[in-house]
Amino acid sequence: MPPKTRAKGRKTGAQKKKKNPSPDAEAEAKHKLVLLEKELLQDHLALQRDETRRAKASEDRLKQRLQGLEAELERAQSQGKATYAETCQREAKAEREEAERALREQDETLAQLRAHVANMEAKYEEILHGSLDCLLAKLRAVKPQWDAAVLRLHSRYKEQLRQFGLNPLDL
């Protein structure tokens, strides 16, 4: 509101004379003062109620936001767990595939070694049979000579036994 203008006819600096207040006027002034204090207290109370309502509304909003954040955190954790589980499954699958590949390589190597051993056995057997065949051929070639030498030795020992007076057939 704009300031009140001065009343006309009054000189600046002139003061009003104070009247002696009457008891009714004093009671009325006290009543007005009490009414003003009452209004002031009611306004103050209304302001406090408004502040309380706003604080309560703010608290409710914060609680809802906190619940939303907690729900989001739970979703993130479950997604994190799912991601972790998926990663573990991938790693386990990769390790299993690696182990299977290593087993296949070992089986292939083992099969190659077995084939190599079988091949070597066949070659050794072939060499052994060849050597034995060669030995038999040599023995067949030498046998007539040995038979003649054995007969000569046999005859000579027979003769020596007879010279000592022993019968070779008794022995």
Side-chain angles (χ1 to χ4, degrees), residues 10-146:
R10 231 195 303 164
K11 293 184 181 177
T12 52
Q15 294 182 355
K16 258 186 170 180
K17 256 189 174 178
K18 289 189 179 179
K19 296 181 185 176
N20 261 347
S22 66
D24 286 339
E26 194 176 302
E28 192 176 315
K30 280 186 181 180
H31 181 65
K32 283 183 181 180
L33 185 63
V34 167
L35 285 176
L36 286 173
E37 283 181 5
K38 179 182 172 187
E39 271 185 45
L40 181 66
L41 287 174
Q42 285 176 341
D43 288 345
H44 184 67
L45 190 60
L47 285 174
Q48 280 184 343
R49 274 183 280 188
D50 286 346
E51 285 295 319
T52 303
R53 265 189 246 116
R54 275 185 283 205
K56 183 71 173 165
S58 177
E59 180 184 1
D60 291 342
R61 283 192 307 273
L62 286 175
K63 282 182 181 178
Q64 288 175 349
R65 186 171 176 214
L66 180 62
Q67 288 173 348
L69 288 173
E70 285 174 348
E72 187 177 329
L73 177 63
E74 283 183 27
R75 281 192 303 273
Q77 284 177 341
S78 66
Q79 287 176 350
K81 287 178 183 177
T83 303
Y84 178 73
E86 185 178 322
T87 303
C88 287
Q89 286 176 347
R90 283 187 197 147
E91 288 176 0
K93 183 180 179 184
E95 287 178 13
R96 186 174 48 250
E97 288 173 355
E98 179 66 26
E100 288 172 354
R101 185 189 60 76
L103 281 175
R104 281 193 305 270
E105 287 178 1
Q106 285 179 350
D107 289 344
E108 288 174 7
T109 304
L110 189 59
Q112 288 174 351
L113 288 174
R114 285 182 179 153
H116 185 66
V117 166
N119 191 18
M120 286 177 61
E121 284 178 356
K123 285 183 180 180
Y124 283 131
E125 190 174 326
E126 186 180 314
I127 291 170
L128 182 62
H129 284 298
S131 296
L132 288 175
D133 288 342
C134 185
L135 182 63
L136 279 174
K138 285 182 182 180
L139 282 175
R140 281 187 197 121
V142 176
K143 187 177 185 228
Q145 294 170 0
W146 282 358

